[in-house]
Amino acid sequence: MIDRGDTAWLLIATALVLFMTPGLAFFYAGMVRSKNVLGMLMQNFFAMGLLAVLWVVIGFSLAFGNFGDGGWIGNLDYFGMANVGQTATTLGAGGWMADGKGMTLTIPFLLFAAFQMTFAIITPALITGATADRFKFKAYVVFIGAWLILVYAPVAHWVFGGGWLAKLGALDFAGGAVVHINAGAASLAIVLVLGKRLGWPKEQMHPHSLPWTLIGAGILWFGWAGFNAGSALAADGIAVQALYNTFVAASAGMLGWLLVERMKDGKPTTLGAASGAVAGLVAITPNAGYVGGMAPVFIGLAAGIVCFLAIQLKFRFGYDDSLDVVGVHLVGGLLGSLLLGVFASKVYNPAGADGLIEGDLTLLKNQAIASISVLVFSFVVSLIIAKVIDLLMHARVDETDEEIGLDLSQHAEAAYSD
Amino acid sequence: MIDRGDTAWLLIATALVLFMTPGLAFFYAGMVRSKNVLGMLMQNFFAMGLLAVLWVVIGFSLAFGNFGDGGWIGNLDYFGMANVGQTATTLGAGGWMADGKGMTLTIPFLLFAAFQMTFAIITPALITGATADRFKFKAYVVFIGAWLILVYAPVAHWVFGGGWLAKLGALDFAGGAVVHINAGAASLAIVLVLGKRLGWPKEQMHPHSLPWTLIGAGILWFGWAGFNAGSALAADGIAVQALYNTFVAASAGMLGWLLVERMKDGKPTTLGAASGAVAGLVAITPNAGYVGGMAPVFIGLAAGIVCFLAIQLKFRFGYDDSLDVVGVHLVGGLLGSLLLGVFASKVYNPAGADGLIEGDLTLLKNQAIASISVLVFSFVVSLIIAKVIDLLMHARVDETDEEIGLDLSQHAEAAYSD
Amino acid sequence: MIDRGDTAWLLIATALVLFMTPGLAFFYAGMVRSKNVLGMLMQNFFAMGLLAVLWVVIGFSLAFGNFGDGGWIGNLDYFGMANVGQTATTLGAGGWMADGKGMTLTIPFLLFAAFQMTFAIITPALITGATADRFKFKAYVVFIGAWLILVYAPVAHWVFGGGWLAKLGALDFAGGAVVHINAGAASLAIVLVLGKRLGWPKEQMHPHSLPWTLIGAGILWFGWAGFNAGSALAADGIAVQALYNTFVAASAGMLGWLLVERMKDGKPTTLGAASGAVAGLVAITPNAGYVGGMAPVFIGLAAGIVCFLAIQLKFRFGYDDSLDVVGVHLVGGLLGSLLLGVFASKVYNPAGADGLIEGDLTLLKNQAIASISVLVFSFVVSLIIAKVIDLLMHARVDETDEEIGLDLSQHAEAAYSD
Amino acid sequence: MKLITAIIKPHKLDDVKDALKVAGVQGMTVTEVKGFGQQRGHTEIYRGAEYQVDLLPKTRLDMVVRPEDVGQVTGVLVEAARTGKIGDGKIWVTEVDQLIRIRTGELDADAT
Amino acid sequence: MKLITAIIKPHKLDDVKDALKVAGVQGMTVTEVKGFGQQRGHTEIYRGAEYQVDLLPKTRLDMVVRPEDVGQVTGVLVEAARTGKIGDGKIWVTEVDQLIRIRTGELDADAT
Amino acid sequence: MKLITAIIKPHKLDDVKDALKVAGVQGMTVTEVKGFGQQRGHTEIYRGAEYQVDLLPKTRLDMVVRPEDVGQVTGVLVEAARTGKIGDGKIWVTEVDQLIRIRTGELDADAT
Ligand SMILES: Nc1ncnc2c1ncn2[C@@H]1O[C@H](COP(=O)(O)OP(=O)(O)O)[C@@H](O)[C@H]1O
Ligand SMILES: Nc1ncnc2c1ncn2[C@@H]1O[C@H](COP(=O)(O)OP(=O)(O)O)[C@@H](O)[C@H]1O
Ligand SMILES: Nc1ncnc2c1ncn2[C@@H]1O[C@H](COP(=O)(O)OP(=O)(O)O)[C@@H](O)[C@H]1O
C-alpha cells in the first residue's frame, strides 16, 4: 500500500540526492586550478547525463533484479524499466530474507528505482576528485559507463539488492560500502593507471576558489539528508534517526578535522571545515539508521581525525589522489562501516543488529568481510577497466593538453572571462 | 479532504519552484559579460518581488477564477486572495469537465495558489535571457507586470484553469505551452522591438563565468522536480511518474545536445551539457505525468538535438535572442507539446489521453492547435505591449549605458570588486 | 501518533533550515572584501559544526526541558539526547498551557529536536554579519558557544519552550524575538566591544562579489519556507498559511526597499533587492502562522521601507554594524513582532490570538513586552560575554592581521587563486 | 628599439589590434589596468552609501618596435583608438637599449 | 617628458592618489601587480600541505610628467606611500621620447 | 640603473624566480598580462559559435638592476624561461634615471 507521506518524503529525497552531484561538482571544482574548472564540472554533470540513462535501461535491473537472491548480480527483469510501475510492491518475498516476507515498499516501485538512480549517478562521480586535471574526457566517459555496469551494479546487488553480503548479515544503511568504499577503491586503482599530475607534488596547486568548494559542501550536506534519511524508504522514526545522525556526524566531523589541523598546522582552515564535514557524512552513511544517542558525535569526530591523517598517505606512498577521494571516501567509508559493528543497536532500529557496544562481535566481523570484499572487488575490476581503456585510447590527456588545462583542451571553453 | 502527505509534497514543491528563479538568474548571469551580471540577476530577482505581489492581488484570480468555464479568462472571485483559504476545495465542479466533478484538491486551496504563484514568477523571468544586456530596467518592470496580466493569466486560464484549450482536450502537464511556448514566443516578439545588442553578432561575447551557469543549471534541474512532479498536486503515482520522466529526460537531453555538438564543433562543451539538460527539461514539461517507460529518453534526446540546431536560427534570421530563449524554450516547448501527442498513454495516467503511439491522432491535433494558439497569442500581445512601452519610455538603454553595462548604468553597482 | 505526512514535511523542513546557514554565509561573504571572504564563510560553517554538537549535548535540554513551566530555563532531562526518541510525545501537558493538554507532537520527538537544532545554528550565525572583518576566530568560537548556552537557550525556553513569555501570551511563530531580535541585540552589543573596522566609515568597502550575496539570498529565501512553514510542526493549513505569508512578505519587502532606495539614491540596486527580501522575511517570521490575506504584503512593504531607513542609523550613531544585522534583524524583528500585535487574527489560526485589527490591544502589549525583554536580556548578557572574552584573549584581531585580512591571518588560506 | 606604450579604452582593443596587425606590428603585450584622468568616473551605491569611483577600466598595450616604425605605429594607434570622447587615453614612447627573443636569443629588430 | 613608475602597498592607493592630485598630477594608470622583495610572504595551508607564498599584492602606478615636476612628484609619492615598514615599494623614473593624447593628438606637456 | 622587462610563459614563473634569486636579484614586480605574437591562439566554442582567441596568458616581470648586472640577469632569464617553443617571450632593457626605495628614500643601487 502506498503511503503518501512516505511518497512525499522519497520524492524530495530523490531530488535532494540528485542535487548532490552538482554540489559535488562544485566541492571539487573549487579545489582545482582555474584551467581545469570546467573539466571537473563537466565530468560530474556528464555523469548525471550518461548514468541516468544507463541506469534506467539496464543498471537498475542488474542491481535490483532477482532481489533477495543472496547472489552476485541481478537479472534483466527490469530491463528498460519493464515491470517497474507506479504501484508499491514487495521485493524478494520468497528469498532468504529473515521474515520470509522480503522488503515491502510503501512507495511506488518506480520511485524506488528513481531514488536508486541518484545513487548510481553520484557514486561514479565521486571518482572525479581523484583523477582531477588529467583524465581524457572520452576515456572518462567510457570508464564511468563501464564502471556502472561492471562494478556498481553488482556491488549494489550484493548489499542493497539482497545479495550475498546482505544475506551474510552485513549492514549498510545508505552506502558506506556500496558508495564510499566502492568509489574510493576505484579511485585508487585509476590514479595508479593515470599517474601523477605534471608537477605533483612539487608544484603548488592551490584551490582556485574556495567559495565554490564551500557552497558545494553546503549543497552536499543539505542533500545528504535525502541520501541517508531517504534510505529509510519511509517518513518514519528510522528516517528521523538517520537525519539526526547525519547532521550531527557532519558537525562532529568538522570539529574533529579542525582540531587535529589546528594542532598540526597551527590554523583551522575553511577547506578543513568542509572536508571534515564531508568525512563525518561519509562515515555516518552506513550507520545512519542503525545508531543513535551520542554515537554520531563519536563517529563524526573519529572520521574527522582519521581522514585528516589519511590524506597524508598519498605523500608517503606517492599516488596522486588529487582531491583526496581515497583519504576521505575509502578511509571514511571503511571507518564508518567498521564503527557500525561497534555502535549498532536494536534500540534504534529493531530491523538492524547489535554491535560490540551491545556485546555482540558478529556484526563487526560481517562488516569487515563486507568492507574488504567490496574494496578488493572494486579495486581489481576498476584497475582492469582502466588498463583496458588506457590501452585502447590513452586514458590520460597528452602533456600539452594538461598544461593548457582540461577546459580548453577537452571542451574548448574558458571558465572565466570578462 | 486534505491529505497531509500530498500537502507535505506540495509545500516543498512550491519552495522548489520558487528556488528555480534564482537558479535561472544564475544560469543566465553566467552567460553574460561581467558588466551585465547584476542587470541579469536583478531582473530575475525583481520578478520574484513584483510578480508574487501582482499574483496574489489579481493574477491568480484572472487565471483560476471561473475555473472550468471553458473560456478565455478568469474573474475577480479571488481578488486579493478572497475565498482562497486553508481548506481543500473542488474547482469547476459544474463545468464541462469530463466527470462533472471538476478538480478536487487534497491540499489547501491556498497552497494551490502559492504553487501556481511560483509558475507565474518564473515564466516571465524566462524572457530575461532573450533581452539580456539592453533592456532598460524601468521598461522591463512595466513589461513583465503587464505581461503577467495580459498574457500569462489568460493563457494559464485556457489550459490550467479549465479554459477553452483544456476543454478542447489539449494536455499540458506542467506548462509546455503555458510556460515555455508562451515565454519563448514573447521573447521573440520583444527582441524584435529591442533590436540587437551593440556589436552582435560580430563582437565576441563570451560567457563571463560558466560556473555560475552550471550552478544555475543544477538548481533548475533540482527545482524542476517540484515543477513537474508538483503539478500532480499530490504525492501519488503520477507525481512519481513525473519525477522519473523529468530526471531521465534532462539526462537524455544532455546526451542529445552533446552528441550533435561533438559532431558539429568537435568538442562537447560544459555549456552544451547544461543547455541540453534544460532543453530536455523543457520538452518533458508538458509530458511529465502522461508518458512513461523509455519515452522520456526519446523525448529528451530529441529535445537536445533539435534545440541545438534551433539556436543557430538566430544567426540565419538575424534576431538577437541573446541567450537562446527562443531556441530552447519556444522550440523545446513546441517539440515537447507535439511529442506528447505521440507518446501519451493512459497506461501511465488514466486521466490523460492516448497519443499516436497508442493509435490515436486526436491528441496530436489538439496539441498542435494549443501550441499554435498560445504561440500566436503570446507573440502578438507581447509585441503590442513592447511597442507601447517603447513608445512611452524607450524600452532599450541608450548606447553609452549599454557600453558601460547594465550593472553600473541601471543599478549603480559593480558585480565584482576586491 | 506519528503522522507520516507531517514527518515528511518536517524532515525536509529541517534540511531546508540547515541549508540556510550556508546561504547566510554566502549572503554575507559576497558583501565583504575579498581578503575576508573565507573568514566569513568559516564563521558560518563553523557554527554548523560547534553549535549542533553543543545543542544535542546540552542546548536542547536547556531550551526545551521542563517544557511549559512558564519559567526561565529548561532542565537537564534531555542532556545528551536522553529521553528524546523516535516516538511522538506530548510536551508540557501538566503546565499552565491553555487546554491543559500541552503540545502534542505528530512527529518523532527527535525530529523536533533536530528541527530546533537548525534554529540554534543559524541564530548565532546571524551575528557574523555585524562583526565582519575583525573578529578573532578563537574569540568567535568561544563567543558563540557561550552565547548559545547563556542567551539562546534561555530565550528559546521563554518563548518556544513554554516559558514565561509564552505563558504571558506573547506570540512568536518562528522566531521574530527568539531569532531576530535576539541576534540583532547581541550584534549591537558585540560591535560596541569590538569597535569599528579600520578605515570605517571613510574608506570604501565595496562588496567583493554581489553574485555570492544574491545566491545566498536565494538560498535563504528557499530555506525560509522550512523555517516558517516548518514551525507549524505539521503539513497542515497553518503550514500552508505560513508558506504563503513568507513568500509574499519577502516579495513585498523587496518592493518596499527598492521603492525608497529608488527615491533616495536614484537607482534600485541588486543588493537592495536582496536586502529588502531578507527584511521582509525577518518581519514575517513571528507572523507567519498567525496572519493572512493581504497582511503579508503590508508587513513586507513596511519591513522593506523601515529597514532601509534603519541601516542608516549606524552612520548617525557611529557603531560599525558591518553588514547591517542591527538594521535588518533587530529592527525587522521588532517591527514584525509588533505588527503581529496588529495583524494577528484567529481567522487564520484559532490557536493564535486577535490583534489590533480585530479590535484587541492585549496582544500588541504582550508583543511589546516580549520584544523589549528579549532585546534587553540579549544585549546585556551578550555585552558581558563579549567583554569577558575581550579581557581574556582580545576579541579582535590585531591591526596587521586586519589589514592582511581574516583569510590569511586566521585561516592561512586565500579565497581565490589561479 | 623603441617601446610604445598605449592606454586605450577596453572596447577599442579589437579594432586597435587589427589595425596594428595590418600596420605590420608582430607582437604586443596587453594588460588590464585602471586609469585616472580627466574622464569623469561614476557613482556606485551600496545600501544607501554612495561611492565615487574615479578609476576606470583601461587597457594597456606595450610593443617594442624598430625606431623607424614609431611614427607609423603611433599614427595607426591614434587613429584606431580614437573615439573623440574624453578618456581615449595616451601613448608614450621610450628608448629600449636591447630586445631579446627568449626562444632564440635573437636581438633587437630580429627579436620583434 | 618623464615616466614615473611606483610600486606601492595597495591600501595606500587612496592616500597616494589624493596627494598626487593635490600636487597637480592630472592623470595616471594603475595596475594590480604582485611584488617580490625583502618583505616576507606568508604561509598558506591546504589539507595539511603548507605553501610558502612570496609574491605579495602591490599596486603599480605609471604617470608621465613634465621633467621639471619629477622631483616634486616623487617627493609627494614617497611621503604619501611610506608606512616605514618593509615592503613599502619602489619608484623609478625613465625618459619618455614622446607623449601623445589619443583624443586630440596633442603632444608632450600638452598631453598630460 | 636599468629596467629589465620580461614577458614569459606563466608556468615558467617559479623557475625564473628561483634562478633570479640565485643570480642575486633582490626584488621584482610581477604582472599578469596577455600576449599576442607568433604563437597560435586557440578556439573557444559557445553554443555552436566558434571564437578565435589570439591573446594568450603571459607573465610580465619588471626588475630594476644595476647596469653592470644587466648581462648576467638577462642571461639567467633567457636560460630559465626558455622552453624552445614559440611563445617563450621577450626581454627588453631600458634606461632608468633614478630608483628610489619608498621606505628609506635610498637611491639607485642602494634601493634595489
Ligand atoms: N599623465 C599620465 N600618465 C599616465 N597615464 C595617464 C596620464 N594621464 C592620463 N593617463 C591615462 O589615460 C587615460 C585617459 O586619460 P583622460 O585624462 O581621462 O582622458 P584623455 O586621454 O582623453 O585626455 C587615463 O584613464 C589614464 O589611464
Ligand atoms: N629591483 C626591483 N625592481 C622592481 N621592483 C622591485 C624591485 N625590488 C622591489 N620591487 C618591488 O617593490 C616591492 C617592495 O620591495 P621590498 O624589497 O619588499 O621592500 P622595500 O621596498 O621596503 O625595500 C616588491 O614587492 C616589488 O614589487
Ligand atoms: N614586439 C613586441 N612587443 C612587446 N611584446 C611582445 C612583442 N612581441 C611579442 N611580445 C610578447 O611576447 C610573447 C611571445 O611572443 P611570440 O611572438 O608569440 O613568440 P616568441 O617570443 O617565441 O617569438 C607575446 O605573447 C607577447 O606578450
Side-chain angles (χ1 to χ4, degrees), chain D residues 27-29 62-64 101 103 112, chain F residues 7 34-39 58 85-90 92:
Chain D
M28 72 180 122
T29 298
D62 287 279
M63 67 213 82
V64 181
R101 186 193 306 277
R103 174 164 47 93
T112 50
Chain F
I7 311 295
K34 301 211 173 232
F36 159 74
Q38 294 172 41
Q39 190 183 359
K58 299 282 168 191
K85 295 197 209 112
I86 284 188
D88 274 355
K90 313 279 183 223
W92 61 80

Side-chain angles (χ1 to χ4, degrees), chain C residues 165 168-171 361-371:
Chain C
L165 283 176
L168 176 77
L171 294 180
L361 201 92
T362 328
L363 181 60
L364 183 56
K365 202 195 62 197
N366 290 338
Q367 293 305 102
I369 296 175
S371 300

Side-chain angles (χ1 to χ4, degrees), chain B residues 152-358:
Chain B
Y152 184 78
V155 171
H157 188 76
W158 302 356
V159 181
F160 292 162
W164 74 276
L165 284 176
K167 191 172 169 190
L168 176 76
L171 294 179
D172 190 358
F173 194 75
V178 176
V179 174
H180 298 289
I181 297 179
N182 201 358
S187 295
L188 188 57
I190 187 151
V191 300
L192 295 181
V193 174
L194 286 180
K196 308 168 192 175
R197 284 168 293 173
L198 286 179
W200 188 86
K202 198 185 146 281
E203 201 182 300
Q204 307 197 353
M205 300 175 181
H206 297 197
H208 92 286
S209 171
L210 285 173
W212 285 129
T213 295
L214 271 278
I215 206 165
I219 293 173
L220 283 173
W221 198 327
F222 174 52
W224 225 295
F227 199 92
N228 284 0
S231 290
L233 300 177
D236 59 5
I238 304 296
V240 168
Q241 189 69 57
L243 184 89
Y244 162 82
N245 287 338
T246 301
F247 284 167
V248 172
S251 298
M254 183 194 292
L255 297 186
W257 186 296
L258 292 178
L259 208 75
V260 278
E261 187 175 53
R262 178 67 223 283
M263 282 163 53
K264 179 175 163 299
D265 299 327
K267 304 264 184 192
T269 68
T270 325
L271 181 58
S275 308
V278 170
L281 289 163
V282 167
I284 202 68
T285 296
N287 293 280
Y290 297 123
V291 306
M294 289 296 107
V297 175
F298 299 125
I299 294 170
L301 276 173
I305 294 167
V306 171
C307 291
F308 176 84
L309 300 173
I311 62 169
Q312 318 295 336
L313 294 177
K314 66 180 182 186
F315 296 109
R316 170 92 46 95
F317 294 104
Y319 57 91
D320 181 13
D321 171 19
S322 313
L323 313 179
D324 301 308
V325 182
V326 174
V328 175
H329 294 273
L330 178 54
V331 173
L334 282 170
L335 181 74
S337 294
L338 296 176
L339 286 181
L340 174 54
V342 177
F343 287 109
S345 163
K346 289 192 178 175
V347 170
Y348 302 107
N349 190 338
D354 278 331
L356 212 56
I357 220 166
E358 302 281 356

Side-chain angles (χ1 to χ4, degrees), chain B residues 50-131:
Chain B
L50 181 66
L51 303 178
V53 172
L54 279 181
W55 184 253
V56 302
V57 172
I58 185 159
F60 178 67
S61 197
L62 292 177
F64 291 94
N66 246 341
F67 188 96
D69 64 346
W72 287 72
I73 185 121
N75 57 22
L76 295 183
D77 280 359
Y78 306 137
F79 184 83
M81 287 286 114
N83 307 311
V84 183
Q86 293 174 15
T87 50
T89 190
T90 295
L91 294 169
W96 57 267
M97 300 186 87
D99 54 6
K101 291 201 194 126
M103 177 172 75
T104 299
L105 294 173
T106 56
I107 57 167
F109 190 30
L110 184 63
L111 182 52
F112 177 74
F115 182 64
Q116 288 297 337
M117 175 178 86
T118 59
F119 282 59
I121 290 171
I122 199 169
T123 306
L126 288 173
I127 301 172
T128 60
T131 61

